[in-house]
Amino acid sequence: MRRMNNLVTLFTAMFAFFFGSFLTTLLTSVDKCPAHKSGVTKLEPHPELFLMILVLSAPQYEEKRLSLRNTWLRLGQPLGLPYYPEDFIYLPTYNKRGHLEREGPSEQANRLRVYVDWLDSVQSPKSSDVPKRNIKIKHFFAIGTLGIHPNLRANLDKEQAQFQDLLFLPRLVDVYANLTEKLLHSIDALIHHYNFTYLLKVDDDTYVKLDYLLNELVSYDRKLIRKARDYRGDPLPALYWGYFNGRANIKTKGQWSESNYYLAQRYITYALGGGYVLGRMLCEFIGNNSHHLSSYVSEDISVGTWLAAFRHVYRRHDPRFDTGYMSRKCRAHHLVLHKRNETLMRDLYNGKLCTFEAGNEIYLKRPTEYYYDWRKTADKCCDNLVA
């Protein structure tokens, strides 16, 4: 009888052990479930990346995607530019109240002059013997596939078989009203499948001088790593790089109409959506909190609002980002250029900067470039014009 009791006790203990192990495994797998918002369950593995490029594209825009693949997505692989001097790179420091000190208009103007001078020097024949550098980058075109027509899905599958660069979002209906959700799904999927340092978000009608942008971003990152100890107990600056606007009125009509934005009389300062760069830490915050963040109609306004409260966000305003809904006057120093069609993409790739200027009256009322004054209220942020 005692032996029987011992056997019962043994089997009970074994059952409890295996059941506990099973339950622990189940809970652990749920806790680590990747991309729970986006529904993306698998992406091809890739070594650690420096830059992830996320292009928001509509399912039917195959020609636009092909144009990007044939032009600027080829730049910087490998990178043949001399290192952008770290002395030219600004790293913000914390003030006594624990906030990052950003560049004022005069400092921004000086950095632009320095860059233009450097640009002239590297375009001279003397810089032809620069060794090639292999910086690990990867790009994806994000496309929502929920409810998509079978014929269009078949075309996308063919495109994916050829290029392997489409990020299918199975829980997203791909319409403009879902643009912010599209960004959330995309970032959620990417942070759970890839280890990247920075993310460049652009639209499929944006041209990027990827080699120059990548070159400067590498120098910034190297300097930040070298100077990390200088920040002591404070968090390292988290980069949010683009062309900022702090005086945009809340839209009440049209496709940008915002009925749920009650936070202020104007949109909280944000980088214009044609293109901006986010550090990994900021992407993780957005992706890991995607279920809790309020989604507004415009994804760029949403990002600016989500990141407003963090004291360690380095909002770098850069006139070289021409990323608004209407193109500004084209300049040789521009790094990111929004609202370019396939013809203009090819022209830019072939070194022809301003081919759309001549005889095109639509650009006569283009917005002017400005330096951002972080020391003034948002309504007075943008009065210092670029000469």
Side-chain angles (χ1 to χ4, degrees), residues 139-169:
H139 73 269
F140 276 112
F141 294 95
I143 297 172
T145 58
L146 182 62
I148 199 170
H149 192 279
N151 292 341
L152 185 52
R153 179 57 194 254
N155 291 337
L156 289 172
D157 288 338
K158 291 179 182 178
E159 186 180 352
Q160 179 74 319
Q162 181 177 1
F163 297 106
Q164 296 295 315
D165 61 359
L166 304 183
L167 176 62
F168 291 139
L169 305 173

Side-chain angles (χ1 to χ4, degrees), residues 17 37 42 82 116 130 157 180 205 216 221 254 315 342 356:
F17 172 78
K37 184 178 183 69
K42 182 180 179 181
V116 170
V130 177
D157 288 338
T180 299
D205 60 348
E216 188 165 336
D221 189 68
R315 295 171 183 83
E342 293 91 324
F356 66 99

Side-chain angles (χ1 to χ4, degrees), residues 56-66 152 156 159 204 342:
L56 300 189
S57 183
Q60 66 273 22
Y61 289 159
E62 182 177 358
E63 289 300 319
K64 288 188 176 183
R65 294 189 288 273
L66 187 61
L152 185 52
L156 289 172
E159 186 180 352
D204 58 10
E342 293 91 324

Side-chain angles (χ1 to χ4, degrees), residues 127-314:
S127 61
S128 59
D129 297 328
V130 177
K132 305 292 184 181
R133 289 176 284 154
N134 292 308
I135 312 297
K136 293 180 180 178
I137 64 177
K138 188 175 181 63
H139 73 269
F140 276 112
F141 294 95
I143 297 172
T145 58
L146 182 62
I148 199 170
H149 192 279
N151 292 341
L152 185 52
R153 179 57 194 254
N155 291 337
L156 289 172
D157 288 338
K158 291 179 182 178
E159 186 180 352
Q160 179 74 319
Q162 181 177 1
F163 297 106
Q164 296 295 315
D165 61 359
L166 304 183
L167 176 62
F168 291 139
L169 305 173
R171 297 178 181 173
L172 183 86
V173 178
D174 206 310
V175 294
Y176 183 83
N178 288 340
L179 191 60
T180 299
E181 281 296 309
K182 187 173 187 175
L183 179 71
L184 286 173
H185 284 227
S186 300
I187 291 180
D188 181 67
L190 295 178
I191 64 168
H192 284 95
H193 289 89
Y194 293 100
N195 185 14
F196 56 88
T197 305
Y198 297 97
L199 179 136
L200 168 64
K201 178 270 163 185
V202 294
D203 294 338
D204 58 10
D205 60 348
T206 297
Y207 185 93
V208 182
K209 295 179 182 177
L210 184 59
D211 45 356
Y212 288 92
L213 183 141
L214 185 62
N215 192 47
E216 188 165 336
L217 190 58
V218 168
S219 293
Y220 168 84
D221 189 68
R222 290 177 60 187
K223 186 170 185 177
L224 182 64
I225 292 172
R226 285 198 309 101
K227 298 288 187 179
R229 292 183 180 180
D230 295 348
Y231 290 96
R232 299 176 183 177
D234 289 313
L236 290 180
L239 185 63
Y240 181 16
W241 182 16
Y243 191 84
F244 284 83
N245 189 3
R247 59 183 180 185
N249 293 318
I250 298 173
K251 303 295 187 296
T252 58
K253 297 180 181 179
Q255 63 176 344
W256 296 296
S257 176
E258 200 69 74
S259 59
N260 297 309
Y261 203 95
Y262 310 116
L263 300 175
Q265 292 182 324
R266 292 182 172 89
Y267 293 121
I268 292 174
T269 302
Y270 65 98
L272 301 183
Y276 50 83
V277 175
L278 293 173
R280 168 82 189 195
M281 185 185 303
L282 302 182
C283 293
E284 289 180 349
F285 167 77
I286 291 171
N288 291 332
N289 293 282
S290 56
H291 282 297
H292 308 290
L293 296 171
S294 297
S295 294
Y296 304 105
V297 173
S298 298
E299 49 83 18
D300 52 358
I301 289 168
S302 298
V303 171
T305 303
W306 297 335
L307 302 180
F310 291 98
R311 72 182 179 95
H312 67 293
V313 174
Y314 171 28

